[in-house]
Amino acid sequence: MGPMCVTVFESPQRSVCLEMRLVLESIGLSAQVAPRDDRWRVSVAEHQADLALEELTDYRREQTEASNIVSQTNVRFEKGIFESVLAFVCTLIAGSLAGWSSTGGLAWTKSGLSEASLVLEGQYWRSVTALTLHADLSHLLSNLFFGSLFLLLASKRFGGGVAVLLMVLGGALGNLLNALLRDASHASLGASTAVFAALGIIVASTLRANFELETSRFRRWTPLIAGGVLFAMFGTGGERTDLGAHCAGFTTGLMLGWLCSWLPFHWLHPSKVQRAAGVTTIAILFVAWILAVVSVG
């Protein structure tokens, strides 16, 4: 005669019970799923019932807390997202068209290019202006697509204004770091440093949420693993890929995202904070280009 079985979970949905069975099997408990009285039930051996109930309770609590965090960070920040993405797209298009123009385009590109030797000599604005310049149309379109996507996701975490400010700061700091680590003759341009900074921001903020949930060690580090996979897929290929700039942007984005994720929600939520962050971003770009033009003139 086999051991007596005890029901530890029940639901009208078979898929939910199968999920609970997988949870129990992941810790080495054998569970059965069977229908009874128009409901599905998960059963384990009687001597394992207490452990099974504890594990399922913890799992469901984690799922509830995760859902609450997602709703707080993703639903409340609806205003400003469209405006931030639109501003990002317009800035990249305008900067790139100016760099490609037949009249003055070469001078425009030369004044805004992030040349390591000039950056380290004190022309720090180049780490900002280079983000708005692109080599050709395919370069621009790639950064527009991935940049808009990552900015959208970051905006759902921090709000449109704060997200675009973090993205530009991450890109600028990434270019500075890249200049420090590369030889003096190295030059770079393009928004990809900021694009991968945005990816780092998303990864870091999700990591912070996972640590707050006190999930298992593997679940805590899943965002970093996923971010690393995305970086490997989109940040390391191509003949003209500046791997150093991409790595630097991803690193600075991780740092900024981690630091900002500790800020209280009510500090970031007000519309005036988001507007101030957006205006600050525009001011940084404007001042950087003014300095670039003046330095050449």
Side-chain angles (χ1 to χ4, degrees), residues 72-286:
Q72 288 179 2
T73 56
N74 288 2
V75 175
R76 297 187 188 181
F77 281 133
E78 293 299 329
K79 294 181 179 179
I81 295 178
F82 172 77
E83 291 85 345
S84 294
V85 174
L86 180 62
F88 169 78
V89 170
C90 291
T91 299
L92 262 58
I93 292 176
S96 298
L97 289 177
W100 300 337
S101 65
S102 57
T103 57
L106 182 60
W108 187 267
T109 300
K110 184 177 180 181
S111 64
L113 193 67
S114 180
E115 297 184 56
S117 59
L118 296 177
V119 170
L120 296 180
E121 286 175 7
Q123 297 187 24
Y124 303 120
W125 57 83
R126 289 178 176 271
S127 64
V128 176
T129 54
L131 298 174
T132 65
L133 299 170
H134 291 84
D136 52 38
L137 183 60
S138 62
H139 188 202
L140 171 63
L141 292 178
S142 175
N143 282 335
L144 281 176
F145 176 77
F146 289 107
S148 298
L149 176 62
F150 293 153
L151 177 57
L152 174 65
L153 295 175
S155 296
K156 288 181 174 291
R157 292 283 181 180
F158 295 107
V162 173
V164 75
L165 176 59
L166 290 175
M167 185 178 186
V168 170
L169 289 177
L173 291 173
N175 279 339
L176 284 174
L177 179 60
N178 194 38
L180 284 169
L181 298 176
R182 307 296 287 269
D183 58 74
S185 62
H186 180 76
S188 63
L189 77 168
S192 55
T193 314
V195 170
F196 286 101
L199 176 61
I201 290 165
I202 297 165
V203 169
S205 63
T206 310
L207 271 176
R208 170 79 175 94
N210 279 11
F211 272 77
E212 199 171 69
L213 288 173
E214 297 181 357
T215 57
S216 66
R217 183 174 299 179
F218 176 76
R219 289 177 186 169
R220 288 181 184 179
W221 293 103
T222 298
L224 186 59
I225 296 171
V229 171
L230 287 174
F231 181 87
M233 290 175 61
F234 304 115
T236 60
E239 294 181 4
R240 294 180 300 179
T241 297
D242 191 340
L243 182 58
H246 292 181
C247 288
F250 186 63
T251 301
T252 54
L254 282 173
M255 292 189 295
L256 288 175
W258 182 260
L259 291 173
C260 219
S261 64
W262 287 86
L263 296 176
F265 177 79
H266 65 271
W267 286 15
L268 302 177
H269 185 251
S271 297
K272 61 182 180 181
V273 173
Q274 297 296 327
R275 284 196 296 268
V279 170
T280 301
T281 306
I282 296 172
I284 289 173
L285 292 167
F286 181 76

Side-chain angles (χ1 to χ4, degrees), residues 50-69:
D50 290 341
L51 179 59
L53 285 169
E54 182 181 353
E55 179 66 20
L56 292 181
T57 299
D58 289 343
Y59 176 77
R60 293 167 67 192
R61 175 178 56 82
E62 289 176 4
Q63 296 301 306
T64 301
E65 291 176 353
S67 177
N68 290 338
I69 287 179

